[in-house]
Structure formats: structure tokens, C-alpha cells
Amino acid sequence: MSKILFFIATFFATTLVLSQQVTTVAGSTYGYIDGLGLQAQFNNPSGICVDDAGYIYVADKSNNRIRKIDQSNNNAVTTIAGSGAEGFADGVGTNAIFAAPTGICIDSQGNLYVTDFWNFKIRKITPAGVVTTVAGTTQGYTDGNVTIAQFGYLAGICVDTQGNLYVADGGNNRIRKITPTGVVSTVAGSTSGYQDGIGTNSKFDYPSGICIDPSNNLFITETFGQKIRKINSFGIVSTVAGSTLGYADGQGTSAQFSMATGICIDNFGNIFVTDSFNNRIRKITPSGLVSTYSGSVYGYIDGSITDALYKNPWDICRDLIGNLYIAELDTDKIRKIETNLNIETVTFESSILYPNPNNGNFRINNLQSGIIEVYDVLGQLVFTKSNVQSETEIKSELKKGIYLVEIINEDGKTVTQKMVVE
């Protein structure tokens, strides 16, 4: 039991440190420089996403470029598309031209999609760096084929598992959809205002950030409306949280935001929002409870989530293990919040438990033969299996929660890893 208590104590100590650390990944003063981490420069980074390998992609708005950050290589920043000139041209890499790229997302094939603000278009960047125009012509509002579709001032963008794109068309106060076959339609919204309802019977006041959950529910930050809205898979629009301009934590519509812009959602249904003018990162639970996750007054400090300060955080995304990444306008930096879902990679020769998080079924890499013991956070042994070999699927039928997995190899060597079951 003392060994189990040691593991539990280590787990909570590690979680406490990891869950509270805010760091600067890249960026210094405003400008344009590729380079390592804090040597690099951005100019109004306004959109951010991360792929499954942990590469961060940034829509560097005022530099008219798309940048990439390699966390495995000292946070090296490179330019993958955009010449820096403001204008419009498709092409390869830095031969392409953007006009204030604002939102960015990535699909399962590694294609990036960018909202090109002053060009009123959606652009695509392939893994090979080829930039093309997906949809959009001139400023306006028209549904239909991508060759005739018109958009207003485009902000956030996300993609579902079928390859459908969803765009927050702030200038038209609508949420638009672009199918892989090239058809643009209006999912919800009409004229400027505030109204819940179905599809085009609803109203928004400058939707900006957008994300999607595994059930195809869309969540939107309504910047001028100071609200967080939801569109379910049936097209029904409802209000998740927010009311009038201000700052207040609380339940649902009793909470207040000030220019909420970016939004993302985790595997547990928690929503994270960049509350830009309040200089805070807010969290909304599935039950609608709004709290301040990090930040307070206008400033710039790394450290614990309770001590960290921000200057106009604008967009937010999360990676597979729950780390949050923030594009911060006024500091021209990319910030990171390490959460308690980080995988602890203690290894015997790079042994690792995967996937993590999982549904209770998982595998172990690089294990000839061994024993698996799973403990809950109270230190109770809840699952064990002998004669486990590398790549053997382990079906545990565990309930949702956080666990410690003790892996004992054939030589009697023991390591532990945190595991999240969703």
C-alpha cells in the first residue's frame, strides 16, 4: 500500500505542476523573423491550430503569412505560406499571397484551411505547401457553388470528420458551411441581432470563433453579442453562456464576457474561450458553469495559471493530450497552458501506453512480456492482466476517469503512466 500511496502522491504532485504552468512557446516583439522560440517574431497572430504530431500552425495576420512551430525542435518557427505582401495569389509556399489571414484549422490529411479576411475567401494549404482558393469571390452574401459564393468578414474556421468546413462569417452574422463537393450554404443566422431558434431564424452579432465536437455540435463565440452559442446537429441554435458586456463568472447567462473571440472544446465537453478584452481564459463546463481558468489584469507573466497574465488573447486550440495553445495579439506571442492530461512518458526503452486518452481499451509498445495493474485515484487496484505483450489490445472496461497504470516487465522493472479514460 505504501508503494501505491507513493504513486498517488507523485501523480497529484505532477498534475498540480503540469496543470498550472503557462509558458511562452514562441515570439518576442512584433515583427517578422523565423527562428527558434523566443527569437522568432509575429505580428498580430490571430488564428492557431495544432496537428496530431504537435506541430502548431499560426495565422500571422499582419505579416500576411502562415507560420509553423516545431515543438520537437526547440520551438523552431518557419514560414510555410505567404510572401508577406498584402494581396491575393495562389501558388506554392511563399509565392502565395494573403490579405490578413485570420482563422486556421487542419483536417485529418494535414491540409490547412485559412480564412483570408480582406480577400473574403477560404484558402487551402496542402502538406506540400500548395495554396489554392476553396471558396469565395468578392465581398457579399451568396450561397451556392464555391465559384459564385460570397462571404463577409471571415473569422474562425473548423472542419468535421467528413471534410465539411464551417466558417464564422462575422460580416454577414451567419455560420456558413462548405462541403467537399464545393457547395456553400448557411447553417444558421440572418440579420444582426440576438435570437435563438432553428437555422436562419436565429440571429448572431458578429460570430467569430468556432469549433466542433465529436457529435457535430458547433460552438461559437459571438464577439459583439458577448455570448457563447451552440448549434446542434439539427440546426437548433441555443445560448450556452453570456449576457451583457462585462466580467462575471457564474452559471450560463448570468456570466459575462468582453469580446470573446477564440474557442475550443476538450474530450470531456469543457469549452475554453479567449475572453480577449478581459485578458482571461474562461472555462465553461458541460453544465454551463463559467469560471476563470487563467488570467486577471492586462499584462504578461508566465507561471502558474493563477499567476499568469495575458494581453488580449485572441484564439485558442488544444492538442490530443489537452495542452492549450493561445495566439496573443498584444504581445505577438504564442502561449501554452499545460493541462493535467499530459502523458507522462516514463519508459523502458520508449515503452508507451496508447492511445491516451482512450475508452478503456489500450495497448503497450515495446514490451516483450509483462503485467499491467491499473489503480484509481484512491489507490484501489481496479484492473490487472498478466502475460501482456507488445501491441496486445487490453480491454479494461474502466469507467471515465483518471488512472495510474503500473507496467511491470519481464525483468521486474516497473514504470507508471497516467491514463485518461473518456
Side-chain angles (χ1 to χ4, degrees), residues 136-148:
T137 53
T138 56
Q139 182 181 10
Y141 169 65
T142 302
D143 282 336
N145 188 278
V146 292
T147 58
I148 64 168

Side-chain angles (χ1 to χ4, degrees), residues 279-398:
N279 303 296
R280 291 169 167 89
I281 310 302
R282 311 288 290 279
K283 178 181 177 181
I284 309 169
T285 67
S287 66
L289 181 63
V290 180
S291 61
T292 298
Y293 191 69
S294 185
S296 54
V297 297
Y298 183 82
Y300 168 65
I301 293 177
D302 282 336
S304 71
I305 58 172
T306 56
D307 294 334
L309 298 180
Y310 304 86
K311 292 183 177 182
N312 201 4
W314 197 258
D315 197 18
I316 189 167
C317 69
R318 62 177 294 276
D319 65 18
L320 285 176
I321 56 175
N323 297 309
L324 296 171
Y325 300 87
I326 298 148
E328 192 172 15
L329 279 187
D330 285 7
T331 63
D332 299 293
K333 293 177 173 62
I334 306 304
R335 314 281 294 277
K336 178 179 180 179
I337 304 176
E338 293 184 278
T339 74
N340 60 1
L341 298 184
N342 276 297
I343 303 173
E344 189 175 81
T345 53
V346 183
T347 67
F348 351 81
E349 299 178 359
S350 299
S351 173
I352 190 169
L353 177 156
Y354 75 98
N356 193 4
N358 58 57
N359 62 0
N361 300 336
F362 58 95
R363 299 173 189 269
I364 304 294
N365 227 345
N366 296 332
L367 182 65
Q368 292 182 8
S369 180
I371 300 170
I372 302 296
E373 295 180 350
V374 181
Y375 298 88
D376 64 18
V377 293
L378 298 177
Q380 301 296 314
L381 179 65
V382 294
F383 177 83
T384 185
K385 186 174 179 63
S386 303
N387 300 317
V388 175
Q389 296 179 347
S390 181
E391 304 298 338
T392 301
E393 185 177 19
I394 301 165
K395 298 182 178 181
S396 66
E397 297 184 355
L398 294 169

Side-chain angles (χ1 to χ4, degrees), residues 8-316:
I8 298 299
T10 302
F11 169 78
F12 279 113
T14 303
T15 298
L16 180 62
V17 173
L18 289 175
S19 67
Q20 295 189 8
Q21 290 305 299
V22 179
T23 58
T24 299
V25 176
S28 52
T29 55
Y30 81 91
Y32 170 65
I33 294 176
D34 283 336
L36 299 181
L38 305 186
Q39 299 171 4
Q41 289 181 318
F42 298 87
N43 194 352
N44 288 330
S46 61
I48 191 167
C49 68
V50 61
D51 68 15
D52 291 350
Y55 292 104
I56 306 167
Y57 300 90
V58 179
D60 193 2
K61 186 174 183 177
S62 294
N63 277 323
N64 299 300
R65 293 174 166 99
I66 307 304
R67 317 285 290 278
K68 177 181 179 179
I69 305 172
D70 183 354
Q71 294 190 86
S72 66
N73 182 25
N74 300 308
N75 296 323
V77 179
T78 55
T79 299
I80 62 171
S83 66
E86 183 177 299
F88 171 73
D90 286 335
V92 179
T94 55
N95 290 320
I97 302 176
F98 297 85
T102 301
I104 190 168
C105 69
I106 190 166
D107 69 13
S108 59
Q109 304 303 310
N111 298 299
L112 293 166
Y113 298 90
V114 178
T115 54
D116 199 2
F117 190 83
W118 289 117
N119 282 320
F120 309 101
K121 293 175 174 64
I122 290 93
R123 315 285 291 278
K124 175 182 177 180
I125 309 170
T126 69
V130 179
V131 179
T132 56
T133 299
V134 174
T137 53
T138 56
Q139 182 181 10
Y141 169 65
T142 302
D143 282 336
N145 188 278
V146 292
T147 58
I148 64 168
Q150 291 178 305
F151 299 90
Y153 298 116
L154 296 169
I157 186 169
C158 65
V159 61
D160 68 16
T161 56
Q162 304 303 311
N164 297 295
L165 296 170
Y166 298 89
V167 182
D169 188 355
N172 285 316
N173 298 294
R174 291 170 167 91
I175 305 303
R176 315 285 291 279
K177 176 181 177 180
I178 304 110
T179 69
T181 58
V183 177
V184 178
S185 61
T186 298
V187 175
S190 52
T191 57
S192 176
Y194 169 63
Q195 184 172 304
D196 286 337
I198 299 176
T200 55
N201 291 321
S202 63
K203 293 183 179 180
F204 296 86
D205 192 356
Y206 205 89
S208 57
I210 188 168
C211 68
I212 191 166
D213 72 9
S215 299
N216 287 327
N217 298 300
L218 294 167
F219 296 89
I220 297 108
T221 54
E222 191 181 7
T223 300
F224 296 155
Q226 318 302 337
K227 295 175 181 67
I228 311 303
R229 312 287 289 279
K230 175 183 176 181
I231 308 174
N232 70 14
S233 57
F234 299 103
I236 299 172
V237 180
S238 59
T239 301
V240 175
S243 52
T244 55
L245 178 70
Y247 167 66
D249 287 334
Q251 186 69 38
T253 55
S254 66
Q256 289 179 307
F257 297 87
S258 182
M259 303 292 285
T261 49
I263 189 168
C264 68
I265 189 166
D266 70 14
N267 293 330
F268 302 101
N270 297 298
I271 299 167
F272 295 89
V273 174
T274 46
D275 190 5
S276 298
F277 283 18
N278 279 322
N279 303 296
R280 291 169 167 89
I281 310 302
R282 311 288 290 279
K283 178 181 177 181
I284 309 169
T285 67
S287 66
L289 181 63
V290 180
S291 61
T292 298
Y293 191 69
S294 185
S296 54
V297 297
Y298 183 82
Y300 168 65
I301 293 177
D302 282 336
S304 71
I305 58 172
T306 56
D307 294 334
L309 298 180
Y310 304 86
K311 292 183 177 182
N312 201 4
W314 197 258
D315 197 18
I316 189 167

